[in-house]
Amino acid sequence: MSYISGFSSYVGEKTPIADLADAEGYISSNIDELLNNGLAYYRKSNDLPYELAVSAVQDFSSSKGFDLSEIEVVIYATSTLWKREYSEREQMSDFLIKSGLENAYPIGVFGSGCANFHVALKMASGLVDSGAHQNVLIVTTDVAGGQKTRVIDPNVSIASDGAACALVSADKRMDDAYKVGSVEMLYGSVLAHINPKEARTEYFNEVAKGVKKTIRKTLEMDRLNVSDVSRVVTNNYNVNTLKMFTALAGFSESQLFFECVEDYAHCFASDSIICMNALHGSDASDDVVLVLGTGTQMWAGAMLYRD
Protein backbone atom coordinates (compact mmCIF):
# COMPACT_ATOMS: atom_id res chain seq x y z
CA MET A 1 0.00 0.00 0.00
CA SER A 2 1.26 3.49 -0.84
CA TYR A 3 0.17 7.04 -0.08
CA ILE A 4 0.66 10.35 -1.84
CA SER A 5 0.93 13.60 0.13
CA GLY A 6 2.79 16.86 0.47
CA PHE A 7 1.36 18.48 -2.65
CA SER A 8 3.49 21.57 -3.39
CA SER A 9 4.17 23.81 -6.37
CA TYR A 10 6.14 26.77 -7.63
CA VAL A 11 4.78 28.63 -10.66
CA GLY A 12 5.58 31.69 -12.70
CA GLU A 13 4.20 35.20 -12.34
CA LYS A 14 0.42 35.55 -12.54
CA THR A 15 -0.26 37.23 -15.89
CA PRO A 16 -3.62 38.24 -17.45
CA ILE A 17 -4.56 36.14 -20.47
CA ALA A 18 -6.35 39.20 -21.87
CA ASP A 19 -2.91 40.73 -22.51
CA LEU A 20 -2.34 38.12 -25.23
CA ALA A 21 -5.26 39.32 -27.38
CA ASP A 22 -3.13 41.89 -29.19
CA ALA A 23 0.16 39.99 -29.03
CA GLU A 24 1.88 38.73 -32.18
CA GLY A 25 0.72 35.29 -33.28
CA TYR A 26 -2.50 35.30 -31.27
CA ILE A 27 -6.08 35.56 -32.55
CA SER A 28 -8.13 37.87 -30.35
CA SER A 29 -11.36 35.92 -30.86
CA ASN A 30 -9.65 32.75 -29.57
CA ILE A 31 -8.46 34.59 -26.48
CA ASP A 32 -11.98 35.91 -25.93
CA GLU A 33 -13.32 32.35 -26.19
CA LEU A 34 -10.95 31.18 -23.46
CA LEU A 35 -11.79 34.14 -21.24
CA ASN A 36 -15.48 33.32 -21.60
CA ASN A 37 -14.83 29.71 -20.61
CA GLY A 38 -13.24 29.98 -17.21
CA LEU A 39 -9.67 31.15 -17.86
CA ALA A 40 -8.31 34.48 -16.66
CA TYR A 41 -4.57 34.15 -15.92
CA TYR A 42 -1.53 32.14 -16.93
CA ARG A 43 1.87 31.76 -15.25
CA LYS A 44 5.01 33.13 -16.88
CA SER A 45 8.61 32.55 -15.80
CA ASN A 46 12.09 33.06 -17.22
CA ASP A 47 13.46 30.18 -15.13
CA LEU A 48 14.68 26.97 -16.69
CA PRO A 49 12.55 23.88 -15.96
CA TYR A 50 15.07 22.46 -13.50
CA GLU A 51 15.20 25.82 -11.67
CA LEU A 52 11.43 25.79 -11.25
CA ALA A 53 11.74 22.22 -9.99
CA VAL A 54 14.34 23.25 -7.42
CA SER A 55 12.00 25.95 -6.09
CA ALA A 56 9.09 23.49 -5.90
CA VAL A 57 11.18 20.98 -3.91
CA GLN A 58 12.45 23.71 -1.59
CA ASP A 59 8.87 24.82 -0.96
CA PHE A 60 7.88 21.22 -0.25
CA SER A 61 10.70 20.75 2.23
CA SER A 62 10.16 24.03 4.08
CA SER A 63 6.35 24.08 4.12
CA LYS A 64 5.95 20.39 5.01
CA GLY A 65 8.96 20.15 7.30
CA PHE A 66 10.26 17.09 5.47
CA ASP A 67 13.88 15.97 5.65
CA LEU A 68 14.96 15.51 2.02
CA SER A 69 17.68 13.06 3.04
CA GLU A 70 14.84 10.53 3.45
CA ILE A 71 14.07 10.65 -0.29
CA GLU A 72 15.54 7.57 -1.95
CA VAL A 73 14.27 8.09 -5.51
CA VAL A 74 13.11 11.19 -7.36
CA ILE A 75 11.02 10.77 -10.50
CA TYR A 76 11.56 13.82 -12.68
CA ALA A 77 8.60 14.17 -15.03
CA THR A 78 8.74 16.74 -17.81
CA SER A 79 8.04 17.18 -21.51
CA THR A 80 11.05 19.47 -21.82
CA LEU A 81 13.51 16.58 -22.07
CA TRP A 82 12.50 16.44 -25.74
CA LYS A 83 14.14 19.86 -26.17
CA ARG A 84 17.90 20.07 -26.46
CA GLU A 85 18.26 23.29 -24.46
CA TYR A 86 16.60 21.68 -21.45
CA SER A 87 18.16 18.21 -21.61
CA GLU A 88 21.80 18.85 -20.79
CA ARG A 89 23.13 16.32 -18.29
CA GLU A 90 24.46 19.05 -15.99
CA GLN A 91 20.94 20.35 -15.41
CA MET A 92 19.86 17.13 -13.69
CA SER A 93 22.96 17.26 -11.49
CA ASP A 94 22.31 20.91 -10.66
CA PHE A 95 18.70 20.09 -9.83
CA LEU A 96 19.69 17.38 -7.35
CA ILE A 97 22.42 19.48 -5.72
CA LYS A 98 20.48 22.75 -5.45
CA SER A 99 17.30 21.08 -4.22
CA GLY A 100 19.11 19.02 -1.58
CA LEU A 101 18.36 15.64 -3.13
CA GLU A 102 21.93 14.35 -3.43
CA ASN A 103 20.91 11.09 -1.72
CA ALA A 104 18.18 10.36 -4.28
CA TYR A 105 18.52 8.45 -7.53
CA PRO A 106 16.82 10.28 -10.44
CA ILE A 107 14.50 8.61 -12.94
CA GLY A 108 13.27 10.60 -15.95
CA VAL A 109 9.72 10.45 -17.33
CA PHE A 110 9.05 12.42 -20.51
CA GLY A 111 6.93 10.46 -23.01
CA SER A 112 3.36 11.09 -21.89
CA GLY A 113 3.01 14.86 -22.00
CA CYS A 114 0.33 16.16 -19.68
CA ALA A 115 -0.12 12.65 -18.27
CA ASN A 116 3.52 12.47 -17.14
CA PHE A 117 2.38 12.79 -13.52
CA HIS A 118 0.36 9.59 -13.82
CA VAL A 119 3.28 7.64 -15.26
CA ALA A 120 5.44 8.92 -12.41
CA LEU A 121 2.76 7.96 -9.88
CA LYS A 122 2.48 4.46 -11.36
CA MET A 123 6.24 4.03 -11.06
CA ALA A 124 6.49 5.56 -7.59
CA SER A 125 3.66 3.53 -6.09
CA GLY A 126 5.11 0.38 -7.67
CA LEU A 127 8.50 1.05 -6.07
CA VAL A 128 6.89 1.61 -2.68
CA ASP A 129 4.36 -1.23 -2.88
CA SER A 130 7.14 -3.67 -3.76
CA GLY A 131 8.98 -2.77 -0.58
CA ALA A 132 12.03 -1.61 -2.52
CA HIS A 133 11.72 1.99 -1.29
CA GLN A 134 9.95 3.91 1.46
CA ASN A 135 9.93 7.46 0.07
CA VAL A 136 9.78 8.48 -3.59
CA LEU A 137 9.42 12.10 -4.66
CA ILE A 138 7.53 12.96 -7.84
CA VAL A 139 8.65 16.23 -9.45
CA THR A 140 6.84 17.68 -12.47
CA THR A 141 8.19 20.71 -14.32
CA ASP A 142 7.48 22.35 -17.68
CA VAL A 143 7.72 25.64 -19.52
CA ALA A 144 6.19 26.86 -22.75
CA GLY A 145 9.55 27.81 -24.25
CA GLY A 146 10.05 27.15 -27.94
CA GLN A 147 6.36 27.24 -28.88
CA LYS A 148 5.14 29.88 -31.34
CA THR A 149 2.37 30.84 -28.93
CA ARG A 150 1.11 29.62 -25.56
CA VAL A 151 -2.21 28.47 -27.00
CA ILE A 152 -2.93 24.77 -26.39
CA ASP A 153 -4.59 23.53 -29.58
CA PRO A 154 -7.37 23.33 -30.44
CA ASN A 155 -7.77 26.46 -28.28
CA VAL A 156 -8.47 24.57 -25.04
CA SER A 157 -6.11 26.53 -22.74
CA ILE A 158 -2.98 28.66 -22.36
CA ALA A 159 0.35 27.07 -21.45
CA SER A 160 1.84 28.09 -18.12
CA ASP A 161 5.32 27.74 -16.65
CA GLY A 162 5.60 25.89 -13.37
CA ALA A 163 6.70 22.91 -11.32
CA ALA A 164 5.19 20.78 -8.59
CA CYS A 165 6.06 17.84 -6.37
CA ALA A 166 4.46 15.25 -4.12
CA LEU A 167 5.69 12.45 -1.90
CA VAL A 168 4.75 8.81 -2.43
CA SER A 169 5.45 6.81 0.72
CA ALA A 170 4.70 3.58 2.50
CA ASP A 171 2.74 5.34 5.23
CA LYS A 172 0.78 8.54 5.75
CA ARG A 173 3.54 11.08 6.32
CA MET A 174 1.33 14.19 6.15
CA ASP A 175 -2.24 15.25 6.86
CA ASP A 176 -3.05 15.67 3.16
CA ALA A 177 -2.32 11.99 2.43
CA TYR A 178 -4.39 9.94 0.00
CA LYS A 179 -4.13 6.20 -0.52
CA VAL A 180 -3.12 5.41 -4.09
CA GLY A 181 -5.53 3.13 -5.95
CA SER A 182 -5.57 2.15 -9.60
CA VAL A 183 -3.46 4.13 -12.07
CA GLU A 184 -4.31 3.40 -15.69
CA MET A 185 -3.02 4.82 -18.97
CA LEU A 186 -3.97 4.74 -22.63
CA TYR A 187 -2.07 5.93 -25.70
CA GLY A 188 -3.84 7.08 -28.89
CA SER A 189 -1.27 6.58 -31.64
CA VAL A 190 -3.74 7.57 -34.37
CA LEU A 191 -3.84 11.14 -33.04
CA ALA A 192 -0.26 11.73 -34.14
CA HIS A 193 -1.64 11.97 -37.68
CA ILE A 194 -4.60 14.27 -36.93
CA ASN A 195 -4.03 18.03 -36.97
CA PRO A 196 -6.34 19.54 -34.31
CA LYS A 197 -6.49 22.86 -36.16
CA GLU A 198 -7.47 21.35 -39.51
CA ALA A 199 -9.65 18.47 -38.24
CA ARG A 200 -11.02 19.75 -34.94
CA THR A 201 -14.13 17.54 -34.89
CA GLU A 202 -12.22 14.36 -35.74
CA TYR A 203 -9.60 15.24 -33.14
CA PHE A 204 -12.15 15.83 -30.37
CA ASN A 205 -13.99 12.63 -31.25
CA GLU A 206 -10.81 10.56 -30.90
CA VAL A 207 -9.83 12.30 -27.66
CA ALA A 208 -13.32 11.83 -26.25
CA LYS A 209 -13.18 8.11 -26.99
CA GLY A 210 -9.78 7.85 -25.34
CA VAL A 211 -10.82 9.77 -22.23
CA LYS A 212 -14.01 7.73 -21.85
CA LYS A 213 -12.15 4.43 -22.21
CA THR A 214 -9.46 5.52 -19.75
CA ILE A 215 -12.03 6.54 -17.14
CA ARG A 216 -13.91 3.28 -17.52
CA LYS A 217 -10.71 1.24 -17.19
CA THR A 218 -9.54 3.18 -14.11
CA LEU A 219 -12.88 2.77 -12.33
CA GLU A 220 -13.20 -0.90 -13.22
CA MET A 221 -9.79 -1.73 -11.77
CA ASP A 222 -11.02 -0.55 -8.35
CA ARG A 223 -14.56 -1.88 -8.90
CA LEU A 224 -16.10 1.57 -8.80
CA ASN A 225 -19.06 3.22 -10.48
CA VAL A 226 -19.20 6.83 -11.63
CA SER A 227 -21.50 7.61 -8.69
CA ASP A 228 -18.84 6.42 -6.21
CA VAL A 229 -16.47 9.25 -7.16
CA SER A 230 -16.60 12.30 -4.90
CA ARG A 231 -14.56 14.58 -7.13
CA VAL A 232 -12.94 14.57 -10.57
CA VAL A 233 -9.69 16.53 -10.85
CA THR A 234 -8.62 17.38 -14.39
CA ASN A 235 -6.00 19.29 -16.31
CA ASN A 236 -6.69 23.02 -16.47
CA TYR A 237 -8.44 23.27 -19.83
CA ASN A 238 -11.37 25.56 -20.56
CA VAL A 239 -14.46 24.66 -18.59
CA ASN A 240 -16.62 23.72 -21.59
CA THR A 241 -14.04 21.17 -22.75
CA LEU A 242 -13.82 19.64 -19.28
CA LYS A 243 -17.59 19.41 -18.95
CA MET A 244 -17.90 17.77 -22.37
CA PHE A 245 -15.28 15.06 -21.79
CA THR A 246 -16.41 14.16 -18.29
CA ALA A 247 -20.11 14.20 -19.20
CA LEU A 248 -19.41 11.58 -21.87
CA ALA A 249 -18.21 9.29 -19.08
CA GLY A 250 -21.36 9.92 -17.03
CA PHE A 251 -20.08 12.44 -14.48
CA SER A 252 -22.27 15.32 -13.36
CA GLU A 253 -20.99 18.89 -13.20
CA SER A 254 -21.26 18.78 -9.40
CA GLN A 255 -18.52 16.12 -9.30
CA LEU A 256 -15.99 18.26 -11.19
CA PHE A 257 -13.26 20.33 -9.56
CA PHE A 258 -11.96 23.08 -11.80
CA GLU A 259 -11.24 25.87 -9.34
CA CYS A 260 -7.63 26.08 -10.61
CA VAL A 261 -8.53 26.83 -14.22
CA GLU A 262 -9.01 30.56 -13.71
CA ASP A 263 -5.75 31.33 -11.90
CA TYR A 264 -3.29 28.84 -13.39
CA ALA A 265 -4.31 27.87 -16.93
CA HIS A 266 -2.41 24.78 -18.09
CA CYS A 267 0.81 23.94 -16.20
CA PHE A 268 1.18 20.71 -18.17
CA ALA A 269 1.58 17.64 -15.90
CA SER A 270 1.87 19.86 -12.82
CA ASP A 271 -1.88 20.56 -13.08
CA SER A 272 -2.65 17.34 -11.20
CA ILE A 273 -0.56 18.21 -8.14
CA ILE A 274 -1.58 21.88 -8.14
CA CYS A 275 -5.25 20.93 -8.24
CA MET A 276 -4.91 18.20 -5.60
CA ASN A 277 -3.35 20.77 -3.28
CA ALA A 278 -6.22 23.16 -3.96
CA LEU A 279 -8.81 20.40 -3.47
CA HIS A 280 -7.37 19.44 -0.09
CA GLY A 281 -7.55 23.07 1.00
CA SER A 282 -11.16 23.50 -0.12
CA ASP A 283 -14.50 22.48 1.37
CA ALA A 284 -15.21 20.08 -1.50
CA SER A 285 -15.74 16.41 -0.71
CA ASP A 286 -12.58 14.43 -1.47
CA ASP A 287 -13.14 10.93 -0.06
CA VAL A 288 -12.80 9.30 -3.49
CA VAL A 289 -10.94 11.31 -6.14
CA LEU A 290 -10.38 10.53 -9.80
CA VAL A 291 -7.38 12.45 -11.15
CA LEU A 292 -7.42 12.70 -14.94
CA GLY A 293 -4.43 13.52 -17.11
CA THR A 294 -5.29 14.17 -20.74
CA GLY A 295 -2.65 15.12 -23.28
CA THR A 296 -2.43 15.36 -27.05
CA GLN A 297 -2.59 11.62 -27.58
CA MET A 298 -2.26 10.09 -24.15
CA TRP A 299 -4.75 9.80 -21.31
CA ALA A 300 -4.48 8.56 -17.76
CA GLY A 301 -6.54 8.20 -14.63
CA ALA A 302 -5.61 7.67 -10.98
CA MET A 303 -7.84 6.85 -8.04
CA LEU A 304 -6.93 8.50 -4.73
CA TYR A 305 -8.69 7.78 -1.43
CA ARG A 306 -8.85 9.63 1.86
CA ASP A 307 -8.03 6.82 4.27
Side-chain angles (χ1 to χ4, degrees), residues 283-299:
D283 295 327
S285 174
D286 63 348
D287 292 336
V288 181
V289 181
L290 169 62
V291 183
L292 288 178
T294 53
T296 306
Q297 60 196 70
M298 63 292 292
W299 313 283

Side-chain angles (χ1 to χ4, degrees), residues 156 204-205 207-208 211-212 215 237 240-251 294:
V156 296
F204 269 125
N205 285 340
V207 171
V211 172
K212 186 176 180 180
I215 291 172
Y237 302 134
N240 276 355
T241 297
L242 298 179
K243 288 179 180 178
M244 177 182 69
F245 287 151
T246 50
L248 288 172
F251 290 106
T294 53

Side-chain angles (χ1 to χ4, degrees), residues 22-283:
D22 298 322
E24 183 180 355
Y26 292 86
I27 301 173
S28 60
S29 60
N30 287 346
I31 299 301
D32 289 341
E33 181 182 341
L34 293 173
L35 292 172
N36 290 329
N37 281 288
L39 285 90
Y41 301 94
Y42 70 99
R43 302 307 180 113
K44 183 178 181 180
S45 174
N46 292 322
D47 288 352
L48 294 171
Y50 90 87
E51 293 172 328
L52 291 169
V54 168
S55 297
V57 173
Q58 290 175 340
D59 177 76
F60 162 79
S61 179
S62 61
S63 64
K64 308 300 181 183
F66 192 87
D67 182 358
L68 294 176
S69 66
E70 295 186 51
I71 302 295
E72 302 157 274
V73 176
V74 57
I75 301 180
Y76 189 88
T78 178
S79 293
T80 61
L81 289 180
W82 292 101
K83 301 172 184 176
R84 184 180 299 274
E85 66 267 33
Y86 302 138
S87 59
E88 296 177 359
R89 185 171 56 185
E90 291 81 2
Q91 292 187 12
M92 178 59 73
S93 297
D94 288 343
F95 161 68
L96 294 171
I97 293 169
K98 293 180 180 180
S99 61
L101 290 168
E102 295 99 325
N103 293 338
Y105 187 87
I107 298 174
V109 169
F110 62 96
S112 292
C114 304
N116 276 334
F117 163 76
H118 292 75
V119 178
L121 179 59
K122 183 93 168 181
M123 296 175 66
S125 59
L127 290 171
V128 171
D129 290 343
S130 70
H133 297 284
Q134 293 292 307
N135 298 298
V136 178
L137 190 68
I138 295 173
V139 178
T140 56
T141 184
D142 283 289
V143 298
Q147 299 176 195
K148 292 181 179 179
T149 74
R150 288 180 177 266
V151 173
I152 304 295
D153 289 326
N155 203 46
V156 296
S157 195
I158 296 294
S160 284
D161 308 325
C165 64
L167 176 71
V168 177
S169 54
D171 52 17
K172 293 186 281 188
R173 299 298 301 266
M174 302 170 200
D175 62 2
D176 62 348
Y178 293 78
K179 184 173 69 175
V180 179
S182 63
V183 183
E184 301 300 325
M185 296 161 287
L186 189 67
Y187 196 87
S189 301
V190 67
L191 281 162
H193 304 287
I194 300 176
N195 187 319
K197 287 184 176 180
E198 298 174 358
R200 183 167 181 163
T201 300
E202 183 183 1
Y203 174 83
F204 269 125
N205 285 340
E206 289 297 325
V207 171
K209 286 192 292 185
V211 172
K212 186 176 180 180
K213 186 175 180 179
T214 301
I215 291 172
R216 183 174 66 249
K217 183 179 179 182
T218 306
L219 295 178
E220 286 177 351
M221 288 300 294
D222 279 9
R223 299 181 180 179
L224 296 173
N225 297 313
V226 167
S227 59
D228 295 323
V229 177
S230 307
R231 203 65 55 192
V232 181
V233 169
T234 65
N235 289 114
N236 293 327
Y237 302 134
N238 74 64
V239 171
N240 276 355
T241 297
L242 298 179
K243 288 179 180 178
M244 177 182 69
F245 287 151
T246 50
L248 288 172
F251 290 106
S252 65
E253 186 175 335
S254 63
Q255 291 172 283
L256 306 185
F257 184 82
F258 36 60
E259 276 70 4
C260 296
V261 172
E262 180 179 359
D263 282 348
Y264 289 92
H266 184 39
C267 286
F268 302 89
S270 293
D271 282 354
S272 298
I273 297 176
I274 290 170
C275 292
M276 282 303 302
N277 187 43
L279 175 62
H280 176 72
S282 74
D283 295 327

